[in-house]
Amino acid sequence: MVSRIGLTRLHSPDNKELPTTHNVDIVFVHGLFGHPVKTWSLKKENESLFWPQSLLPAVVPNSQIFTWGYDADVSGIFSSAGQSTIHELAGSLLSDLADLRDTPSRRRIIPLIFVVHSLGGIIVKDALNRSSSNEGTRWKEIAPATYGVIFLGTPHRGSTSASMGKMALHVSEVFTLRPNLKLLQGLEKHSEILDRLGDDFHQTILKHNLTIYSFREERETRRYKLFNIMVSTQLPRMNSLLKGLKRTFTQVVESDSAKIGHAKEECGIIPADHRNMTKYSGPEDIGFKRVSAQLRRWSENIRAVSGTRTLLTSRSDQQLPTTKVYMVCIHPIPLLDLSLTHSADLLESLNSQEARERLEEVKQAHPATFEWLFDPKQVPFLEWLQAGDELGRRPFWIQGKPGSGKSTLMKFALKNPQTLQALTGSRSEHWTFSSFFFHDRGSQAQKNLLAMLQELLHSILLQNTSFVQSALPYYNVLRDEQRTRHPRWPLTQLKNTIQAVFKNSLVRANLCLFLDALDEHAGENEELVGMIWNWITATDEKPASIRIKICLASRPWEIFKKNFGQCPQFAIHEHTRGDIEAYTTQRIRNAMYTSELSLAAANLIGQIVRDASGVFIWVRLVLDRVAQEIIDGTPFSILQEIVSQLPMELGELYRLTVKRIQSRYHPEAWIMFQTVLCSLKPLLLENLITVVESNLPLVQHDPSNFSEEHPMEEQGRRLNSRSGGLLEILPRSNHVQFIHQTVKDSLTASGLSLGFAVDTHTKLDKPIFAMNGYEFMLRESSVGAKKRTLRHLRDALVYAKLAEQSANEDPDRIGRVTKETQVLLERCAAKLRGDPFHANFFGDLPGEEVKVWEWLCSWVNLLPYGGESKYAVLPYVVATSAQLVRFIENRHHGKSSLSAEVEKSHASGSYLIGLAAVGPEVASHPLCDVQRSKMIEALSCQGCNVDYEIGMPLLVVESEFDAFSPDCPAHPTNLNTATPLTALIFKHLFSKAQDRAQDYLDIAETLIRTGASADVSVHANRNDKSSPLGVPMNLLEYCVRYGSAEWVRFLLAHGATETPRRIRTLADWASLRRDGEIIQTLRDYGYYERSRLGQSHFSPVEAAILAGGEILMSTNKFYPAPSVAPPA
């Protein structure tokens, strides 16, 4: 008996209930309106042929065969249909499979093969994606155990029939039933659900080396028959509604949608329609022969190879790739190539879901719009796609006014099957599509060059594994350097890698790239443009190997006109009149609840279309108001007058929108606009509301009537009313952003006012209008919940720093920011006194920043004694590390100086100076100014001595001394005894910051100006204590021996001196190093005398070391010397 829901075993070898000899599990999953038996059965007279049970065991006898069922009827007959989503059904499948494989008879890994039809394929894809990413659950073993999937008529890119089904099922609502539209929505053409599943499944294929075979239907399905399947079989009472339906034909799953598009995918055809492609009449049926041939081949491949199968398992990010081996009785699975492990790690290191979010957020094109894109009589896009000559090799540029719909059009072109059809023509070519949509309102991962290169590389390698070998050498270098399987990719390495991919002459490939919103790139556009042309030039060198087409979209800025003005192109706003008319008509019809339009309504539509001038965002805002007026009963004659008075320039329209917000909401609106504008990362709606609530008490005579917690729906209404519709909530992520980039541009260009009545009187009455988003975020961190993660505290320090920078010289703002910063620093100090060994202490703090906070925690533990008073210095340590200069300058603690506060902790003021000069930054951000010199001056004014020994370890500085062995003569003996100036010179000489010499020299100038001495002693480490290298020496001598000419010149210019005997030593060292710059510097200051090596003042041991060439000063690198015996 086959169960309607869940797994049912159909066959076991030798018909044993608990088999022990089978080598593969085959699982059948039916599709929409399907059944675990009927989908796979063909009626023959009075009986049905259920071929998975009656025919297949003879083909794959050493297999166990299952069928899995679920509620696939989107409408019930006399009751409501199941309301499960694709995601929930995938979870049910994984749970059932995990239960099966957890039984006592399953103490070995049995390979899995899926045979899936229609919606069943989408469910299996989602299940395998989730298994691949759920490392900590029972589901994790399903994807690694899967050998392959046979897809039968699976709509990977959606089906137009799903929309038709939705229409039919909306009719069923008349009969008071609850149809499940969630399944049909997921199957619609260009569904975002399918796009996301498809992108993830490409990675799952590569990670687990899956084998894929996709069959498509050859014959069309009668549209009447399709409706009958969807509705009349479920609702007999509706038969009469279908009698007048025209009998036309359609392919339920079109050919381009029936294949995944992966390079390893094999494809075939079943000569049947969508419903009958799974039903076979016997062993000679061509459909059965084609499907069973693949199952036989895969089963034999699994059985033929002896040995073990290597399954990729979850690993610590700090370990190099390892494998886990499972014994598979006598019929093992092929051993995976170890390079697949590295390939998966490579892809994972490049993977960033955040970089793809913008594409998913861009709204789908309105029905029946943008069809002109493929009309060669209107624009040359189709001609460019088809061209293989000089025209086809140049980029295609889509330019247009702000808000004219460029991003929506780019998404339309990228996802439309006509693009692929035009590229391939009648040829059977594989094209790899990759895209990046810049997004200035998004996170850093959505708007910089590094993010673009990382996403393009990830997408290209994921779809075309032949390129992986070109990228692996670059990945291996980063993996070895950073000692992690998922290293961070520097921009230079990404540039080199993608250039190597495009220049690979051993791979034949076709690449089509879509780059949207170049004008929202946060960087130098000259660099971006130059890179695009470099890619085209690289592929032009090998035209027979790799072809590349690049479609670009941007505003018509001069930089883009200059570089792409001669390329094939069009201006989008010159072609969207018909699209705007269709969109406007539909919106007004929806507001009127009728399909019939009066003459007055038609005139209003014509007026809006004319005034729009091709700008969609203008139309959207105008229609939001017009639709509400229609609902409220406003006559069309008045509506035409309202529209005629609306400004046609977007900035003025935004100002008018803000003015229409009720004045009592202005404080909240101001906080919302400023916070979204200044937020350094996408902001969740609930977090934005928290910021508003934290700052509203500042508003006089306007207390908040809201409680601390609000339902999500209430928060959404509140956002809309306060922002006038200029802020929106992204449905998938619940992040808040401006409805368009032009709103952000207008807000910035208008001096951050955007029409608010912000004048001197308002600022005095409501100081909230004198604050910006940085201050609002800072205040939220100081008055909000006390339990904060380190990540939140770190971000709050960045906002404190930016709030200080934006305060300028306004004493009121400086005082307010200082007060809030004090509270924040005390919270940071309290956090640092916690347990750093607790599992969740560092939370979601990025790995590279954990090291800095670990150092701060270690510093706290090194404080010697003094009870609670020893912690008094902690806020100032954090403030110094965060470079909060204004806070240090404006602290007021009666008559006690900051130096006295520090000494209570048995530390020294020089320690804070050293921390300011060379310590780590706990709040670094591209928008924050580096203010080390200002911090040194502020600390000096607070009584901190710049010339004492630091006295406490600068742990991060010591860890940067990795350029030489601790036994090398140049190694400083003890950094604790160094002055801030000495520590600064050490850090520059031996860190990876050689190219920032001027920055270090500027800081050194500040130290000298605030009282530091250039005449200080240093110690160098040497095991042989008889050598002069083991005794103290002057800092000047140290720099002559081991440093650089710039530091020698700096010290001499600021009064460094030597005894006459040591002056001769300086000259001898300069000669031995053959450093012309140091020799010239010593000569300029009268320190240099030419001498011969035999007359130098070196000890025999020292001379022998030098003769052995131990120190390669020309490269500033230090190596342990070979063992050299002293001369007799």
Side-chain angles (χ1 to χ4, degrees), residues 92 260 294 861 958 964 1106:
S92 298
I260 293 173
Q294 305 310 318
N861 294 328
E958 291 195 58
F964 51 82
L1106 290 170

Side-chain angles (χ1 to χ4, degrees), residues 32 68 70-74 81-93 119-120 122-124 126-127 130 178-187 193 196-197:
L32 195 65
W68 185 76
Y70 59 97
D71 186 357
D73 296 334
V74 294
Q83 299 297 308
S84 297
T85 64
I86 292 173
H87 195 65
E88 292 165 344
L89 292 173
S92 298
L93 173 60
L119 174 65
I122 306 301
I123 294 171
V124 167
D126 192 20
R130 294 173 69 185
R178 289 186 62 226
N180 184 2
L181 297 180
K182 299 175 185 177
L183 294 181
L184 285 173
Q185 287 171 344
L187 292 177
I193 296 174
R196 185 172 67 255
L197 287 179

Side-chain angles (χ1 to χ4, degrees), residues 23 147 211 296-305 332-334:
N23 69 310
Y147 181 88
T211 306
R296 180 192 296 111
R297 180 165 61 90
W298 290 0
S299 180
E300 290 174 352
N301 287 344
I302 292 171
R303 187 180 55 195
V305 182
I333 303 174

Side-chain angles (χ1 to χ4, degrees), residues 316 375 478:
S316 167
D375 184 353
L478 293 175

Side-chain angles (χ1 to χ4, degrees), residues 521-754:
H521 162 232
E524 295 295 331
N525 285 322
E526 289 82 359
E527 184 179 9
L528 172 61
V529 168
M531 188 178 300
I532 292 171
W533 281 111
N534 285 341
W535 296 345
I536 294 172
T537 303
T539 53
D540 280 348
E541 294 173 3
K542 303 286 183 182
S545 177
I546 296 177
R547 283 192 296 165
I548 182 170
K549 286 181 178 287
I550 305 178
C551 182
L552 313 168
S554 74
R555 300 183 193 181
W557 289 0
E558 283 303 316
I559 178 68
F560 304 126
K561 287 182 180 180
K562 177 181 176 181
N563 285 275
F564 306 123
Q566 302 303 313
C567 296
Q569 61 177 283
F570 64 80
I572 181 175
H573 53 268
E574 297 175 357
H575 299 275
T576 52
R577 183 183 180 91
D579 299 330
I580 291 175
E581 183 175 357
Y583 174 69
T584 305
T585 302
Q586 186 61 49
R587 286 286 304 271
I588 289 180
R589 278 177 174 167
N590 292 343
M592 295 173 64
Y593 296 102
T594 179
S595 59
E596 298 295 329
L597 292 177
S598 63
L599 179 60
N603 291 336
L604 177 64
I605 292 171
Q607 180 182 1
I608 293 173
V609 172
R610 285 191 305 274
D611 292 349
S613 299
V615 180
F616 262 104
I617 192 66
W618 185 91
V619 176
R620 173 182 167 183
L621 288 172
V622 170
L623 286 176
D624 286 344
R625 181 174 178 183
V626 167
Q628 187 60 51
E629 295 284 356
I630 291 175
I631 293 171
D632 293 343
T634 304
F636 277 95
S637 57
I638 297 178
L639 283 177
Q640 285 184 269
E641 184 177 346
I642 291 174
V643 171
S644 65
Q645 294 175 355
L646 292 176
M648 298 175 64
E649 199 274 323
L650 277 177
E652 292 302 318
L653 182 62
Y654 295 147
R655 286 176 176 274
L656 181 62
T657 303
V658 169
K659 288 180 180 179
R660 295 184 68 246
I661 299 173
Q662 296 184 43
S663 59
R664 63 193 180 98
Y665 293 152
H666 277 197
E668 287 184 68
W670 178 263
I671 298 173
M672 288 181 177
F673 282 133
Q674 289 291 331
T675 303
V676 174
L677 178 70
C678 296
S679 180
L680 301 177
K681 58 185 179 181
L683 200 63
L684 290 171
L685 174 60
E686 53 266 37
N687 292 345
L688 176 62
I689 296 298
T690 301
V691 173
V692 172
E693 294 289 343
S694 300
N695 286 276
L696 277 180
L698 291 171
V699 184
Q700 300 176 16
H701 316 301
D702 192 12
S704 171
N705 294 322
F706 291 86
S707 60
E708 290 187 359
E709 296 184 0
H710 316 284
M712 191 63 63
E713 185 178 349
E714 179 184 318
Q715 292 179 6
R717 293 197 303 269
R718 183 179 183 183
L719 177 78
N720 190 58
S721 63
R722 273 56 168 180
S723 70
L726 296 181
L727 292 174
E728 65 180 357
I729 306 168
L730 300 177
R732 288 191 59 225
S733 63
N734 210 36
H735 287 137
V736 178
Q737 68 174 20
F738 294 110
I739 60 170
H740 194 264
Q741 180 63 26
T742 51
V743 181
K744 182 178 179 180
D745 294 343
S746 297
L747 185 61
T748 305
S750 63
L752 308 182
S753 62
L754 197 65

Side-chain angles (χ1 to χ4, degrees), residues 191-425:
S191 160
E192 292 188 9
I193 296 174
L194 296 184
D195 289 345
R196 185 172 67 255
L197 287 179
D199 291 342
D200 292 344
F201 193 60
H202 274 281
Q203 187 165 347
T204 302
I205 291 173
L206 182 63
K207 182 176 181 180
H208 301 291
N209 197 26
L210 301 184
T211 306
I212 304 296
Y213 204 106
S214 298
F215 287 99
R216 69 173 178 86
E217 63 214 58
E218 185 178 45
R219 297 173 185 168
E220 296 179 324
T221 300
R222 281 188 314 205
R223 195 177 292 264
Y224 174 87
K225 182 178 180 181
L226 182 63
F227 262 76
N228 191 59
I229 295 168
M230 292 179 175
V231 181
S232 68
T233 57
Q234 306 295 328
L235 299 169
R237 291 173 291 173
M238 295 182 63
N239 281 330
S240 59
L241 298 177
L242 302 173
K243 290 180 179 179
L245 190 64
K246 184 178 180 180
R247 300 192 179 194
T248 58
F249 292 84
T250 185
Q251 271 195 322
V252 176
V253 180
E254 297 169 351
S255 58
D256 69 290
S257 183
K259 57 186 178 182
I260 293 173
H262 195 274
K264 294 175 59 178
E265 177 186 24
E266 295 183 79
C267 299
I269 297 174
I270 302 289
D273 61 26
H274 184 73
R275 190 184 190 194
N276 291 308
M277 68 186 303
T278 61
K279 306 175 188 297
Y280 310 132
S281 59
E284 297 304 315
D285 189 300
I286 187 62
F288 175 76
K289 291 170 71 174
R290 289 177 177 174
V291 173
S292 63
Q294 305 310 318
L295 292 173
R296 180 192 296 111
R297 180 165 61 90
W298 290 0
S299 180
E300 290 174 352
N301 287 344
I302 292 171
R303 187 180 55 195
V305 182
S306 59
T308 58
R309 180 183 186 183
T310 303
L311 296 177
L312 304 181
T313 59
S314 60
R315 296 163 294 223
S316 167
D317 191 56
Q318 300 301 317
Q319 299 173 339
L320 290 178
T322 58
T323 56
K324 184 175 180 180
V325 178
Y326 295 86
M327 298 307 297
V328 191
C329 202
I330 60 172
H331 300 306
I333 303 174
L335 182 69
L336 292 180
D337 188 341
L338 189 60
S339 65
L340 291 173
T341 305
H342 294 166
S343 299
D345 290 339
L346 161 64
L347 282 168
E348 187 60 31
S349 71
L350 292 167
N351 186 24
S352 172
Q353 178 61 36
E354 196 174 9
R356 294 186 288 275
E357 284 180 357
R358 172 56 180 164
L359 173 61
E360 297 170 0
E361 291 166 0
V362 173
K363 291 181 170 59
Q364 298 281 2
H366 191 73
T369 60
F370 293 144
E371 296 297 338
W372 49 264
L373 180 65
F374 298 99
D375 184 353
K377 296 179 180 179
Q378 296 198 50
V379 293
F381 184 66
L382 186 65
E383 180 185 1
W384 173 77
L385 289 173
Q386 296 171 338
D389 53 9
E390 178 63 25
L391 172 68
R393 286 195 292 270
R394 285 183 289 166
F396 193 96
W397 183 33
I398 299 175
Q399 51 104 341
K401 298 177 181 178
S404 55
K406 295 183 293 295
S407 295
T408 305
L409 178 66
M410 286 287 279
K411 182 172 183 177
F412 175 81
L414 174 64
K415 300 293 184 180
N416 198 297
Q418 294 184 69
T419 301
L420 179 60
Q421 292 170 5
L423 288 169
T424 57

